[in-house]
Amino acid sequence: MAVKEISQAVIGRLPRYFRFLGELKDAGVERISSQELSQIMNVTASQIRQDFNNFGGFGQQGYGYNVEYLYTEIGKILGMDKTHNLIIIGAGNLGQALANYMNFERRGFIFTGMFDNNPELYGKKIRGMHVRPMEEMADFVRRNNVDIAVLTIPKTSAVKVAAQLTEVGIRGIWNFAHVDLEMPADVKVENVHLSDSLMRLSYMIGRSDENE
Amino acid sequence: MAVKEISQAVIGRLPRYFRFLGELKDAGVERISSQELSQIMNVTASQIRQDFNNFGGFGQQGYGYNVEYLYTEIGKILGMDKTHNLIIIGAGNLGQALANYMNFERRGFIFTGMFDNNPELYGKKIRGMHVRPMEEMADFVRRNNVDIAVLTIPKTSAVKVAAQLTEVGIRGIWNFAHVDLEMPADVKVENVHLSDSLMRLSYMIGRSDENE
DNA sequence: TAGATTGTTAATCGATTAACAATC
DNA sequence: TAGATTGTTAATCGATTAACAATC
C-alpha cells in the first residue's frame, strides 16, 4: 500500500511531540488544544494541526485532543508499539556507553549483541553481553532477527561494514561514523555526526561574538 | 557589528562542506568547481554557490574554488581557528565515553574538567582528569576560561544545572539531556537527542514496511 | 443552541533551483 | 579571445502561517 510521502520536516518533529505528550500524560492531563500545546512547545498551533493531519484526524472539533490517545497514536507512527532488536558494531568508548546507557530498551530497542574486530575485546562482557568477532555478525543477525545496527566504528571501516549489513538484510543503520553511507532504498540510515553538532555550536558562539 | 542572519538550513550544511573539503584537501585536490563538488556531495551546484555566497565570494569565475582556501575559510566561519575549553557535567557512561573519545581535541575543543554530584565518583580519573564535585563547577569555569559545557546528566537536573551555567557565564551548552533548555540569547544550546534520532530511524523502517 | 476548536483551504514566507550576465 | 564558471537575480517549489467553514 502506497502511503503519502511525509516531509522530513514533519518527521523530525514527531519525537518532540511524543516527548511532550508523554510528559503531559504522566502529569495527568487528559485533553489539550492545539493552542495550549503550541504555548508549551513554542510552535504555532497551525503547525501542530497541520502536522497531525498528515496522519489523519486525531482530534475533535470543539474539544481538542485526548492526550493519551494522541500519545499512543504518535507512538504507533514512530513504531513505538513494536520492538527492534539491535546490535552494536564497535565496542569502543562510544559503543560501550550506548550499550550501558540503553535507556532505549524502555522504548522497545532491545540490545542483543555487540561486535568488534579487536581480538583483545572478544569475550569481554558489556552489560552481560560478550563482545563477538565480526565474523559471527552475519550469522547472528539472521538468527536473532536483528533489524537495526549501531555503527560506532571509525569511518575507515564503516562503508565496508555497512555493505555487509545490507547483504545480510539489516533494515536500519544508526550511524555514528563520520562518513556518508550510500545504501539501497530499503536500508534506512540515521546519522549522528557528533563533531558536526559540536561545530554548529562553535559557529553559534562565534557569531554571537561578532554581533556584540 | 551586525551580521546578516544566516539561515539554519545553511548553517546545518557547513560542517558537511568542511568534511568533504578536508578530504579533498588531504587527497591533494587543488581546485574544484561547484559542479564537481555537487556530484561528490549529492547536492545541487546552485545550492553550493548560494551557500558560500552567504559569506562572500570564495571562488573565481572560470576557475572554480581553491580547495585549501575554501576549507580554511569555512573552518574560520565554524570557529575552527579558535580553541574552546569545555567541561563535561555528568560522569556517567555517556560523559565518560565523550571524555575518552575526544577526537574533538583535534578540532580545538579542549577537555578541561569533569563534574558529577555522585561522591563515589569524586577523584576517579577519566582520561587523566579527576571527577570534581558540582560545588566546584562555578569557580572552575571562571578560572579556566571554560566556554562550553557538555551536559550528560539526566533531564531532571539538566534545567537547574543549565541555569547555574548561565549565571557563571558559559557561552554554549552541548545538551545530551532529553529536555528543552530555555536560555538567554547569549547562551547557545545545541541539542543531541539520541532517543529522538533512534525514533526517526524506527519511523523510517516502519514506513518502508507499509510501502512493500 | 452557542462556544470552542478542529480539519482544511488559501495566503505568505523562505529555501531551493534555474538561468544568465559578469568576469577570470 | 574563447571557454569556463562564478556570483547573483529570477522562477519555482515547498513549508509555514493565517483564515475560516465544518462540526462537536
Side-chain angles (χ1 to χ4, degrees), chain B residues 149-167:
Chain B
V150 184
L151 279 198
T152 48
I153 53 179
K155 64 175 167 178
T156 43
S157 44
V159 173
K160 207 188 79 193
V161 171
Q164 289 170 18
L165 286 164
T166 302
E167 214 154 295

Side-chain angles (χ1 to χ4, degrees), chain A residues 75-207:
Chain A
K76 281 188 204 163
I77 293 166
L78 289 169
M80 294 300 101
D81 54 338
K82 303 191 184 83
T83 61
H84 294 281
N85 292 328
L86 60 80
I87 55 171
I88 298 177
I89 301 183
N93 287 308
L94 192 56
Q96 291 189 30
L98 291 173
N100 284 310
Y101 187 60
M102 275 302 155
N103 208 288
F104 309 128
E105 305 235 316
R106 204 166 47 88
R107 292 265 97 102
F109 298 95
I110 316 294
F111 171 48
T112 57
M114 186 134 199
F115 296 85
D116 205 293
N117 63 5
N118 179 356
E120 285 178 28
L121 292 171
Y122 297 165
K124 182 177 178 185
K125 265 203 166 175
I126 292 161
R127 210 180 180 227
M129 212 62 94
H130 290 289
V131 176
R132 293 181 163 84
M134 279 302 289
E135 291 75 38
E136 297 180 12
M137 187 271 286
D139 216 47
F140 187 93
V141 167
R142 283 197 208 92
R143 285 200 197 163
N144 294 277
N145 235 320
V146 174
D147 52 357
I148 295 178
V150 184
L151 279 198
T152 49
I153 53 180
K155 64 175 168 180
T156 41
S157 44
V159 174
K160 207 188 76 192
V161 171
Q164 289 169 18
L165 287 164
T166 302
E167 214 154 297
V168 75
I170 205 84
R171 304 295 314 281
I173 294 178
W174 203 23
N175 179 38
F176 288 77
H178 202 207
V179 66
D180 292 2
L181 301 174
E182 317 227 338
M183 297 284 113
D186 58 340
V187 181
K188 309 300 178 186
V189 178
E190 168 79 14
N191 291 311
V192 182
H193 289 166
L194 292 176
S195 57
D196 287 13
S197 172
L198 199 43
M199 283 187 205
R200 282 191 289 273
L201 182 58
S202 166
Y203 170 87
M204 289 187 283
I205 292 173
R207 278 281 129 165

Side-chain angles (χ1 to χ4, degrees), chain A residues 32-39 43-46 48-49 52 64-65:
Chain A
I32 196 159
S33 68
S34 57
Q35 172 63 29
E36 291 168 297
L37 191 56
S38 82
Q39 277 160 3
V43 296
T44 65
S46 210
I48 290 173
R49 296 205 298 278
F52 292 170
Y65 299 88

Side-chain angles (χ1 to χ4, degrees), chain A residues 7 9 13 44 46-47 49-50 60-62:
Chain A
S7 80
R13 286 192 289 266
T44 65
S46 210
Q47 181 166 79
R49 296 205 298 278
Q50 288 277 20
Q60 194 173 317
Q61 277 112 326

